[in-house]
Amino acid sequence: QLLAASESAGLAELNGISQELQALVGSLSLPEGLLKSLAGTFQPGSLLICRSSANVEDLAGMSGAGLYESVPNVPSDRPADISAAIAAVWASLYTRRAILSRRAAGVQQSDACMAVLVQELLFPTYSFVLHTASPLSGNPLSAEVEIAAGLGETLASGKRGSAWRLEINKSTGEVKTLAFANFSEALLPASAVRAGSAGNGGGNGGQKSEQDEEQEGLQELPLGSASLASMLAGVGPAGRTGGLYSKAAAAGSSVGNATGLSWSGGSSSSASGSRDGGAADVARAGELYDSVGRTMDYSRHGLSKSPDVRQALGRRIGAVAGLLERQFGGAQDVEGCFVGDLLYVVQARPQP
């Protein structure tokens, strides 16, 4: 009845319907046996992300970018938090904005379904969205990728600004730069910023300044080289005890050096995992999500300064594009990231 009413309700009435649907779905709990099995899949102390994967996104005339919830920073050893995070993702199917978007696209509310991907959380140096066949030219030999510094939320949420955009010829390896990034900020996990700040400590004690460390961290090295760690010093999957950027913090390094990125200024904004209300209280059942925006200084960033860096990174992504097409039998819409020198594919689905 609520779904049927949401099809034609006015805005004032829809607010109440949306809140009731979110509260109903958000109160669901997963079976204890399933939660224990799920928690046992991951290393103790690791952090997880519960990612939305709906059948009503990436459609013709309805991209759904940033429309549905994903909940990061979920402790793997807290089954109740995993359950709450999954329920929050389910509930995000019924925010007012999501309902209105489906109405505008002519999609029936009863046809909308939400799956949840539970994955180990990565804190990336770069995040990217890849179309293995160019959606602009239609050339099946060309892939196109958009790349942003830090968390992929910058790309997924439709923030104002541009990503680095590369066109890659999968046959020849040629890489063309179509656009340079100009997002004013990159998003970092708040825990990373806290860890970096703690590592810097109060005085420099003879240590190099943050600016000096950032300069050293931006050496123009081809991606894939043995010495890439001095440019992109990511430390792999996140852990609550091993700690994101724990190596950098232990060494007294700055956040800029730990990520291989160049920041200027201080923390200028924070974002919560809930973008449309309603599910926020459910998502906060554990220590779930805080990200911090840090101002980007592209004049000191390798991807903006060096054609060699763009070529090397583009070729690696192009090789992955070809591999995924062969594996899945067609063009793919891919989300992925770099953590240091490692490329992770976190999601791939058929490209519309």
Side-chain angles (χ1 to χ4, degrees), residues 192 194-201 207 213 235 242-254 258:
R194 287 192 294 268
S197 299
N200 283 331
Q207 297 181 10
E213 289 179 339
V235 297
L244 168 65
Y245 305 133
S246 57
K247 294 179 183 177
S253 301
S254 69

Side-chain angles (χ1 to χ4, degrees), residues 129-208:
V129 173
L130 166 68
H131 291 90
T132 66
S134 171
L136 296 180
S137 69
N139 184 354
L141 294 179
S142 294
E144 286 188 17
V145 63
E146 291 189 328
I147 306 165
L151 296 171
E153 180 73 6
T154 300
L155 295 169
S157 64
K159 288 174 69 69
R160 180 177 296 179
S162 298
W164 287 288
R165 196 164 79 248
L166 307 178
E167 181 182 59
I168 308 151
N169 187 307
K170 293 173 288 186
S171 177
T172 66
E174 179 186 6
V175 178
K176 294 181 180 179
T177 301
L178 303 181
F180 287 89
N182 64 6
F183 290 116
S184 60
E185 294 179 341
L187 289 178
L188 292 177
S191 53
V193 176
R194 287 192 294 268
S197 299
N200 283 331
N204 58 28
Q207 297 181 10
K208 295 177 182 177

Side-chain angles (χ1 to χ4, degrees), residues 3-126:
L3 284 178
S6 69
E7 294 284 9
S8 57
L11 293 182
E13 184 183 1
L14 184 60
N15 283 337
I17 293 173
S18 169
Q19 291 172 7
E20 190 171 350
L21 281 167
Q22 289 182 80
L24 179 64
V25 176
S27 66
L28 297 175
S29 297
L30 274 67
E32 184 176 349
L34 176 60
L35 286 171
K36 287 183 178 179
S37 174
L38 187 58
T41 303
F42 302 97
Q43 291 293 324
S46 60
L47 292 174
L48 310 178
I49 181 168
C50 297
R51 306 179 71 238
S52 60
S53 184
N55 67 338
V56 283
E57 55 187 328
D58 297 320
L59 304 177
M62 182 183 174
S63 71
L67 197 58
Y68 306 112
E69 190 73 66
S70 290
V71 182
N73 293 349
V74 184
S76 65
D77 52 2
R78 296 185 186 175
D81 284 359
I82 297 175
S83 181
I86 291 173
V89 178
W90 284 338
S92 72
L93 195 62
Y94 302 112
T95 63
R96 186 183 72 162
R97 187 162 66 100
I99 292 171
L100 288 174
S101 295
R102 291 193 291 270
R103 276 166 48 167
V107 176
Q108 295 291 312
Q109 306 301 328
S110 57
D111 291 337
C113 299
M114 176 67 75
V116 181
L117 302 174
V118 181
Q119 299 173 304
E120 188 170 6
L121 183 64
L122 301 171
F123 289 153
T125 311
Y126 304 112

